[in-house]
Amino acid sequence: MFNPLHDDHVPAAVAQCESALDVSSAVSMAANRVPLAARSGGHSYPGYSAPHGGLVVDLRRMSTVSVQADGTVTVGAGATIRDIYSVLGQANRCLPAGSCFTVGVAGVTLGGGIGVLQRKFGLTCDHLVAAEIVTADGRRLTASAARTPDLFWGLRGGGGGNFGIVTEFTFATDPAPALTVFVVGFPEGKVTEVLSAWQPWISSAPRELWGNLNISGGDPPSCRVAGCFVGPSSVCAPLLDDLVSRCGVLPNRRTVQDRDYFNAMRFFAGRPDRESFVASSRVLGAPATDPTAVTTLLTGRTGLALILDPLGGAVADVDVQQTAFPHRKAFATAQVYATATAASEAETTHSVAEVVAGLAALGIGGGYINYIDPALPDWPESYYGPNLGRLRSIAHDYDPDKVFDFAQGLRRV
């Protein structure tokens, strides 16, 4: 697991699979005997990909990435984001996906797939053409809009571990564009001013621009805006000037760089090291109406961050019920993220829960399934919204005996 806080999750066995046939055999052997979970990147926030006393179906050896002549790319379910970006970069192709290089493609795609290019190119799941999947009865199917429309719909945002184990994905890609990456940092104590300016700025920005707001807790909190622009820095720079003008605050850091696709994605990758953390999420249906109250929630909470990732653009072009991802018309996703140790885990978990509850009290509900949190009180509706009923039905159809059951699975709701 990526998070050392889950090192005590000890499965009974690990099946290291190299093919869909291996996965089918593992599922058939374990079905209704022991807990069963697939592992791709191992980034499940609560550690669901390592069930206690169960069988882990490890997909990491199934990591081939191959670009086809028509521009589609086939990706083994054990591939990481870095694997995909590296191959696509060499082929001069582009797929919008996450930013952490060690995250597995399966979790990203099945939960929707937000990322720095989403306002221009949409979510990862929007580019899914087909998926090979092993179902609860050991069958190997190819899910697509033509062959299995309900299952294909559910795989685009319905979350991992609910319908079966995907072994391979086929995505449509776009030509890789020239990109600009940037970071604009602001002094401590200016979060309210920056948040007040950032919200209308990103709402009115062209879809080529994505810039998130990362608020670091402290006394006082601080913040920075980091992002990506599809185009040259000469066009991006005036947009950043506009942000600074709206804030009325002089930045203490400003970095703007022209980069190619792969190196732009690497800019956001962070460190590959394992990291102990506690996290949750909410979704802003509209801009926050009380920026001062948001600032107050982060005051004094050193080590905790509130990361606001804007939606809009191509994400909103798709109807709420056209795919299983329900937050199409929302303004932004909010990740509440805090570093922790084994000794501080309980205290940190409480602090994260307080911020999540505080956001809810401000009218900020919902949640992003890829930031899954067992403590989120209203998780079924938060993660799935109006798509919950249809997802429940599909999960029942493909897994009537709850082979893929887990604490926050669709067969639990």
Side-chain angles (χ1 to χ4, degrees):
M1 299 296 295
F2 178 77
N3 189 341
L5 293 180
H6 303 313
D7 284 351
D8 61 344
H9 290 212
V10 182
V14 177
Q16 295 182 320
C17 298
E18 296 183 350
S19 68
L21 180 60
D22 289 347
V23 175
S24 178
S25 298
V27 170
S28 297
M29 177 183 66
N32 298 124
R33 295 180 179 89
V34 295
L36 178 67
R39 183 196 190 279
S40 179
H43 281 256
S44 169
Y45 279 14
Y48 288 147
S49 53
H52 287 291
L55 176 65
V56 172
V57 180
D58 193 331
L59 305 171
R60 288 177 296 174
R61 296 187 181 188
M62 302 170 63
S63 59
T64 300
V65 180
S66 179
V67 180
Q68 310 304 314
D70 62 358
T72 60
V73 58
T74 57
V75 182
T80 64
I81 295 300
R82 181 188 179 93
D83 296 333
I84 297 170
Y85 288 161
S86 178
V87 173
L88 287 180
Q90 294 174 27
N92 201 32
R93 305 297 297 182
C94 161
L95 176 71
S99 55
C100 179
F101 268 22
T102 57
V103 166
V105 64
V108 170
T109 305
L110 298 175
I114 65 174
V116 303
L117 296 176
Q118 64 189 17
R119 284 171 49 84
K120 175 62 175 178
F121 296 108
L123 304 175
T124 311
C125 72
D126 296 337
H127 291 252
L128 186 64
V129 174
E132 292 183 3
I133 183 171
V134 174
T135 55
D137 55 4
R139 288 183 299 157
R140 289 177 287 161
L141 303 178
T142 297
S144 67
R147 294 186 181 186
T148 54
D150 274 356
L151 178 59
F152 184 66
W153 177 88
L155 293 176
R156 291 178 293 160
N162 280 314
F163 311 110
I165 298 178
V166 176
T167 57
E168 185 178 81
F169 298 87
T170 300
F171 298 102
T173 66
D174 294 288
L179 299 169
T180 301
V181 297
F182 60 86
V183 178
V184 182
F186 296 91
E188 293 181 346
K190 299 298 181 180
V191 170
T192 298
E193 292 88 339
V194 176
L195 176 57
S196 298
W198 173 80
Q199 292 187 131
W201 173 75
I202 196 64
S203 295
S204 62
R207 62 179 55 200
E208 287 78 12
L209 179 69
W210 179 94
N212 74 353
L213 178 60
N214 189 317
I215 305 172
S216 298
D219 196 8
S222 60
C223 66
R224 67 181 184 274
V225 175
C228 186
F229 178 74
V230 181
S233 58
S234 59
V235 180
C236 179
L239 297 171
L240 301 181
D241 292 341
D242 180 44
L243 170 64
V244 172
S245 176
R246 291 172 184 250
C247 291
V249 177
L250 186 66
N252 56 12
R253 175 190 177 190
R254 178 164 169 162
T255 300
V256 184
Q257 299 175 353
D258 291 283
R259 294 200 175 194
D260 62 27
Y261 170 69
F262 177 76
N263 284 302
M265 297 305 100
R266 187 167 62 177
F267 180 82
F268 299 99
R271 300 180 305 171
D273 305 333
R274 300 175 74 208
E275 183 173 84
S276 299
F277 66 91
V278 176
S280 187
S281 69
R282 284 295 184 186
V283 176
L284 285 75
T289 57
D290 192 347
T292 300
V294 174
T295 302
T296 300
L297 283 175
L298 277 294
T299 301
R301 299 185 189 272
T302 302
L304 188 150
L306 176 64
I307 305 165
L308 304 179
D309 293 322
L311 297 169
V315 177
D317 290 343
V318 180
D319 187 74
V320 169
Q321 294 182 298
Q322 190 172 334
T323 70
F325 182 83
H327 309 300
R328 294 290 180 174
K329 309 306 178 183
F331 166 63
T333 57
Q335 182 178 190
V336 183
Y337 188 100
T339 55
T341 63
S344 69
E345 181 180 3
E347 180 182 353
T348 304
T349 299
H350 178 70
S351 184
V352 167
E354 286 186 327
V355 173
V356 170
L359 292 171
L362 295 174
I364 300 171
Y368 178 39
I369 187 63
N370 278 354
Y371 302 150
I372 194 167
D373 172 16
L376 195 67
D378 53 350
W379 64 268
E381 293 76 16
S382 293
Y383 294 141
Y384 302 119
N387 295 331
L388 177 59
R390 185 178 177 186
L391 285 166
R392 281 174 171 163
S393 178
I394 297 168
H396 180 272
D397 289 345
Y398 283 91
D399 187 13
D401 298 321
K402 302 185 180 181
V403 171
F404 296 110
D405 184 41
F406 65 100
Q408 288 181 283
L410 280 167
R411 299 296 277 115
R412 291 287 182 101
V413 296

